[in-house]
Amino acid sequence: MSGTSTSDKRRMIERWDTIFRALTAEPRRQLVVSLLEAPPERELSLPEAANPPYLLQDPESLYSELIHSHLPFLEDAGLIEWEREPLCAKRGPQFEEAATVIEAIQQNASTLPPSLREGCQRLEEQERRQNP
């Protein structure tokens, strides 16, 4: 029997739920990927770092979505820290939780069902690297 308490198990489940909610929106996933690819202490300009290059959104609309929804959620989860002027974000204290999930998905891109992989430039590139 595990020595993990019920409250520890609940906290773990809550963290998983938070990470999955954090990754439900493409701008949030793109920001995590951009931060993952940048040096650890680097601040990234927004909305550019949250705008997927293969499906660019209107910068003004994305700016509003970021400020009112995405950035506060990611900050509350401890995944990022952000500033409004100029609008930028950097890794938060719990960033590695989301980064690890993104890395696991990318490392297994070739095993994902085509419906989750095809059309996603990031995963298609990863698959090409895995299967040259």
Side-chain angles (χ1 to χ4, degrees):
M1 184 121 160
S2 172
T4 306
S5 72
T6 301
S7 62
D8 288 342
K9 290 176 185 175
R10 281 193 185 112
R11 275 194 297 278
M12 178 269 306
I13 290 169
E14 289 171 4
R15 282 313 295 170
W16 273 108
D17 290 348
T18 297
I19 295 306
F20 283 123
R21 279 194 305 273
L23 298 174
T24 61
E26 181 60 23
R28 291 186 250 194
R29 288 189 298 272
Q30 182 60 46
L31 181 53
V32 170
V33 168
S34 295
L35 288 167
L36 186 60
E37 293 173 347
E41 297 301 316
R42 184 159 179 211
E43 288 185 349
L44 300 182
S45 296
L46 295 169
E48 298 83 9
N51 207 350
Y54 51 88
L55 186 64
L56 290 174
Q57 294 183 328
D58 172 57
E60 288 181 28
S61 296
L62 181 55
Y63 181 92
S64 180
E65 287 176 28
L66 288 168
I67 287 177
H68 297 292
S69 176
H70 301 308
L71 298 176
F73 184 90
L74 292 170
E75 182 176 53
D76 288 346
L79 302 177
I80 68 159
E81 296 174 357
W82 66 286
E83 308 251 343
R84 191 175 278 239
E85 290 297 327
L87 190 60
C88 61
K90 66 179 183 176
R91 295 178 184 193
Q94 303 303 120
F95 176 78
E96 288 305 313
E97 293 174 351
T100 299
V101 172
I102 293 292
E103 287 175 324
I105 291 168
Q106 289 178 339
Q107 290 169 359
N108 292 287
S110 63
T111 65
L112 294 173
S115 61
L116 296 177
R117 182 182 68 237
E118 292 174 358
C120 179
Q121 180 182 7
R122 177 171 51 240
L123 294 177
E124 287 177 342
E125 287 174 11
Q126 188 67 31
E127 182 184 19
R128 281 192 290 278
R129 281 188 233 123
Q130 291 170 350
N131 302 313

